[in-house]
Amino acid sequence: MEWSFRAAEELSAAFRAGEVTSVELTEEAIARIERDDKAINAICVRDFDNARTAARAADEARARGEDGPLLGIPVTVKESYNMAGLPTTWGMPQFKDYVPAEDAVQVARIKAAGAVILGKTNVPLMLQDLQSYNEIYGTTSNPWDHDRTPGGSSGGSAAALASGFGALSIASDIAGSLRTPAHFCGVYAHKPTLGLVAIRGMVPPPAPAFPTDHDLAVVGPMARTARDLTLLLDVMAGPDPLTRGVAYDLALPPARHDQLGDFRVLVLDEHPLIPTSSAVRAGVNRVAGALVDAGAKVERHTPLLPDPTEAATLYVQLLGANLASNFPAERYEQLRAHAAGLNADEQGLASMWLRGMVFSHRDWTQANNRREQHRHGWRQLFAEFDAVVSPITATPAFPHDHEKGVGERKIDIDGVEYPFLDQFAWAGLATMPGLPATAIPTGLSPEGLPVGVQLIGPMFEDRTPLRLAELLEQKIGGFQAPQ
């Protein structure tokens, strides 16, 4: 029996029942990687010897009657997480030999839950692209079309899942880095509420792994089913034991509803700053149709939605400030000079991004205050709705494009070119206010490419979009393996 595309939940049940051993699951996954990953290049750091050791230990633990939520399950880890004894580079050539001495808190958690880690998955340079390529490990391709990107920055993890290289992966998201690869590769991902999941050890080299708070950035689960997202989130969630974990325990509220027909959902398929491709709009409409058929309350417009144009502007400003905070002084001064030369009437997202990169503390505080106004608006919206359905990006996976920087590229939307950065508006819808968002597949485009949507929920009510994802998976189907 082939296990490579089975859900982690199924693998766990079979493992507990003695139908399969962890060694068998691990050897099958390794064989598939060795056979198929030459074309995909998803697993950039292989750790097969340690995986085999962990699999044998899992089988011995089961024989002793021990258990764990991920016991014996083969998984992968995004390259940006520290793993003791393995390189962490974030794609930066100068750190190709950097090897941390301590596991990231999430790596430690999945190990404690019994997971068998096959290796690390590829990323773009500094995690700053919707593609996954770098000088050290090369280019990761989309399993559905090798001429296209799997997305970024968690593209290696999404491509690995779509290819059957492990049942789960842990990754991260600040600009759609969980959701976009899931959308491009036809898998599931969950961007948790900001602060729900400890992030220590997901840090660029050679920075120390301090338990600091991160603005916008989260770490979260990727899987091939919605239920597996919840399984992995339950392992990952909770405060850092070095800080808030000293005083607080995790107590996520249950999903607001258990039946599809009971949900109240706002459906969005248009953004004032960027068009939506026909393929993505069809995916959104398929979800909307399934909700209507189930008897859910579905609306397309509401005055309660915080202004999406201002939201996108705040998002790129805060994102720019976040990313530029660790730039070398020389580069930062170049950015300041460039920003000072902008005309006042240059108000596009690329210009706002640049201005955000050189924010003063006063500028950032004012932007953060406006963010709090948006969060208040979302609280009011979620008093009337349970979730929001929207695109993740404007298009399905696009062809590899390594010629220009992110700020200089264009994105083709139904034959018309638009600024590449403008598509971040959809990712920022949930990221800027810190809301949870679950990416789900909705089917294939006419060209045979996966299309997904995001289900955005109320802060710290992550189980609501996750449950909605499960119900929609039952209604419209879910993951399909590339042919």
Side-chain angles (χ1 to χ4, degrees):
M1 179 181 292
E2 186 170 294
W3 300 95
S4 294
F5 288 101
R6 299 289 190 91
E9 190 176 48
E10 293 179 70
L11 298 183
S12 290
F15 177 65
R16 292 187 182 105
E19 297 172 13
V20 67
T21 67
S22 180
V23 167
E24 290 170 333
L25 294 176
T26 301
E27 291 296 346
E28 182 178 308
I30 289 172
R32 180 173 287 274
I33 293 168
E34 291 178 332
R35 185 190 73 197
D36 296 342
D37 200 36
K38 293 181 181 67
I40 305 300
N41 192 34
I43 312 298
C44 62
V45 179
R46 298 181 178 187
D47 196 27
F48 294 164
D49 288 344
N50 286 327
R52 289 182 168 110
T53 299
R56 290 192 294 270
D59 288 335
E60 293 166 0
R62 187 185 69 82
R64 294 191 298 268
E66 299 174 14
D67 202 357
L70 304 180
L71 186 64
I73 306 303
V75 308
T76 59
V77 171
K78 187 175 180 178
E79 199 271 355
S80 50
Y81 285 86
N82 285 348
M83 281 187 66
L86 296 182
T88 297
T89 71
W90 288 46
M92 294 184 283
Q94 66 269 37
F95 296 113
K96 65 183 179 62
D97 298 320
Y98 177 77
V99 177
E102 183 180 21
D103 287 339
V105 65
Q106 294 305 330
V107 172
R109 283 179 177 174
I110 64 172
K111 283 183 177 180
V116 174
I117 300 176
L118 299 166
K120 303 181 80 175
T121 59
N122 204 21
V123 298
L125 177 66
M126 285 294 293
L127 316 188
Q128 293 181 14
D129 205 335
L130 292 186
Q131 306 179 80
S132 293
Y133 70 99
N134 59 75
E135 292 182 22
I136 304 172
Y137 299 119
T139 300
T140 300
S141 295
N142 193 308
W144 290 85
D145 181 345
H146 296 177
D147 292 328
R148 295 175 184 267
T149 180
S153 62
S154 308
S157 288
L161 287 167
S163 302
F165 306 159
L168 303 166
S169 194
I170 59 172
S172 63
D173 191 310
I174 192 173
S177 289
L178 280 157
R179 293 161 286 163
T180 298
H183 158 48
F184 283 179
C185 293
V187 298
Y188 289 80
H190 182 69
K191 186 198 87 66
T193 297
L194 182 66
L196 176 64
V197 181
I199 201 170
R200 174 166 49 90
M202 220 289 297
V203 60
F210 293 143
T212 55
D213 290 332
H214 290 252
D215 189 31
L216 302 175
V218 300
V219 296
M222 303 186 81
R224 286 190 294 269
T225 72
R227 286 177 62 86
D228 278 356
L229 287 181
T230 300
L231 172 70
L232 185 49
L233 180 67
D234 284 346
V235 172
M236 299 179 74
D240 193 310
L242 298 183
T243 54
R244 291 181 176 86
V246 173
Y248 300 115
D249 291 326
L250 178 67
L252 282 176
R256 290 188 176 187
H257 307 292
D258 199 47
Q259 302 298 322
L260 197 58
D262 294 333
F263 277 84
R264 304 163 299 166
V265 181
L266 175 65
V267 174
L268 306 174
D269 65 0
E270 295 180 349
H271 197 285
L273 295 182
I274 189 167
T276 306
S277 71
S278 58
V280 170
R281 187 178 294 109
V284 173
N285 288 336
R286 186 176 186 210
V287 171
L291 289 164
V292 170
D293 288 345
K297 174 190 173 183
V298 176
E299 301 288 346
R300 294 278 186 162
H301 303 280
T302 176
L304 295 173
L305 181 69
D307 179 24
T309 298
E310 184 184 35
T313 299
L314 283 172
Y315 170 61
V316 298
Q317 289 174 330
L318 292 166
L319 180 61
N322 183 299
L323 297 178
S325 62
N326 293 316
F327 284 179
E330 181 180 354
R331 186 177 178 192
Y332 183 75
E333 289 304 320
Q334 291 173 345
L335 290 172
R336 287 186 60 177
H338 190 182
L342 291 174
N343 294 326
D345 58 354
E346 292 185 66
Q347 298 296 314
L349 291 189
S351 297
M352 292 300 178
W353 174 297
L354 179 57
R355 291 188 177 102
M357 284 184 167
V358 295
F359 262 4
S360 67
H361 181 66
R362 182 175 185 273
D363 293 332
W364 188 91
T365 300
Q366 289 179 338
N368 188 49
N369 288 340
R370 294 197 300 276
R371 170 165 51 185
E372 290 301 332
Q373 294 172 357
H374 278 252
R375 284 176 172 156
H376 179 66
W378 280 105
R379 285 190 288 270
Q380 292 176 310
L381 183 146
F382 283 122
E384 300 294 329
F385 296 93
D386 302 306
V388 174
V389 176
S390 87
I392 296 168
T393 66
T395 70
F398 53 84
H400 296 296
D401 182 1
H402 304 167
E403 295 301 317
K404 299 177 180 178
V406 171
E408 302 171 272
R409 292 186 203 142
K410 302 292 183 181
I411 183 70
D412 183 296
I413 304 176
D414 291 342
V416 180
E417 289 190 339
Y418 294 87
F420 187 87
L421 278 173
D422 287 3
Q423 63 186 314
F424 285 89
W426 284 119
L429 192 67
T431 302
M432 187 273 289
L435 302 171
T438 306
I440 67 168
T442 66
L444 302 179
S445 73
E447 295 77 26
L449 298 171
V451 173
V453 301
Q454 61 182 337
L455 314 176
I456 303 172
M459 286 191 78
F460 293 105
E461 293 191 49
D462 293 57
R463 297 200 190 282
T464 291
L466 285 166
R467 178 57 181 162
L468 181 57
E470 291 179 28
L471 295 169
L472 285 167
E473 183 179 15
Q474 297 166 15
K475 183 77 171 176
I476 66 174
F479 169 76
Q480 302 177 52
Q483 301 301 313

